[in-house]
Amino acid sequence: MPFSQQPVQQPAEEKPDASPTLMGDYTVKKDISEMSLAFVGAGKMAQAMAKGFLAAGVVKADHITATAPSCRSQPTLEDIGCQFTHNNKEAVENSDIIFLSVKPHILPGVLQEIAPVVTKRHLMVSVAAGVPLQFLEEKLPPKSRVMRVMPNTPCVVRQGASVYVPGSHVEKEDSEIIKSLLSSLGYCSESNEGMISAVTGLAGSGPAYAFTAIDALADGGVKMGLPRELSIKLAAQTLLGASKMVLETGKHPMQLKDDVCSPGGTTIYAIHKLESGGFRNLLIDAVEGACLRAEAIAKKAK
């Protein structure tokens, strides 16, 4: 007697796990684009980062909230689709990643204000120069996930230079999230806290040195008869091109400088003028001065 044929059962198709990844006793969403961000402090750095994130497409505009006591930055942020509020606690409660982007002297009061609503859900990221991780962790609930970040304003055009430092309770996934976010804004590297004051002096404050150099070069062009607009564009493009050569050729800057300096030519005469005026020493002093100021802020915070 023949056996009756039974339909062969195919194994159920496994669906990808869409649930959040469990990290300890809190959850973190896998998709960064679905995360909500809050900038507690809506100044120039917060605006630059928000605009950069939106330009990169890594975060949705309606997932970004910024707070400030005044309305000065409100039109700028709302024009790009971000939400704005004066309520720091509300912004923290409704967000996954919190960028603490207020001035260092204001940060202690802000931490005291928001600490009651900070939970294990929140990844707290301080952009404040000089304020150490230990201080941040002491002012927030125990085992808060805290990081320090030193970005710079060229983040707005996705050409930033950023360094991040994980705190003692940060998970690997937290660092990966911040690295992904900051990498969308330009160059990004992890570092240790002992170096972050030097990073502040070089990269954090560095755009101001570059803008000053562009303005001075443009003044030189104007002095020698060039129109102002043309002078600024030539100066800015020259620094941009020189920077790309350093990054893309792998050559030492001084080798590239020597390539421009023909024997007895115009450029070596100009370099002599710069050296006579202490150009290199002034830049070194500028980085040192900003670094020492960041360290002084850190000492006050302890």
Side-chain angles (χ1 to χ4, degrees), residues 240-258:
L240 175 61
S243 297
K244 285 180 71 68
M245 286 183 71
V246 172
L247 293 173
E248 294 179 10
T249 67
K251 292 183 178 180
H252 193 281
M254 295 311 288
Q255 182 182 351
L256 293 170
K257 181 267 295 180
D258 286 345

Side-chain angles (χ1 to χ4, degrees), residues 136-194:
L136 297 166
E137 292 174 342
E138 287 175 353
K139 297 298 181 183
L140 291 169
K143 297 186 178 180
S144 290
R145 297 149 57 216
V146 181
M147 301 181 74
R148 285 185 67 184
V149 166
M150 179 46 60
N152 61 16
T153 54
C155 286
V156 71
V157 291
R158 301 182 62 200
Q159 293 296 326
S162 305
V163 165
Y164 66 94
V165 181
S168 55
H169 303 293
V170 164
E171 300 280 351
K172 180 182 178 182
E173 289 87 348
D174 296 327
S175 292
E176 289 174 352
I177 288 168
I178 294 304
K179 184 176 182 179
S180 294
L181 284 171
L182 296 178
S183 294
S184 75
L185 304 179
Y187 175 79
C188 169
S189 177
E190 181 175 350
S191 186
N192 63 68
E193 194 166 33

Side-chain angles (χ1 to χ4, degrees), residues 225-249:
L226 295 178
R228 170 67 63 183
E229 183 178 357
L230 176 61
S231 287
I232 292 173
K233 287 182 177 178
L234 288 173
Q237 182 62 40
T238 298
L239 264 65
L240 175 61
S243 297
K244 285 180 71 68
M245 286 183 71
V246 172
L247 293 173
E248 294 179 10
T249 67

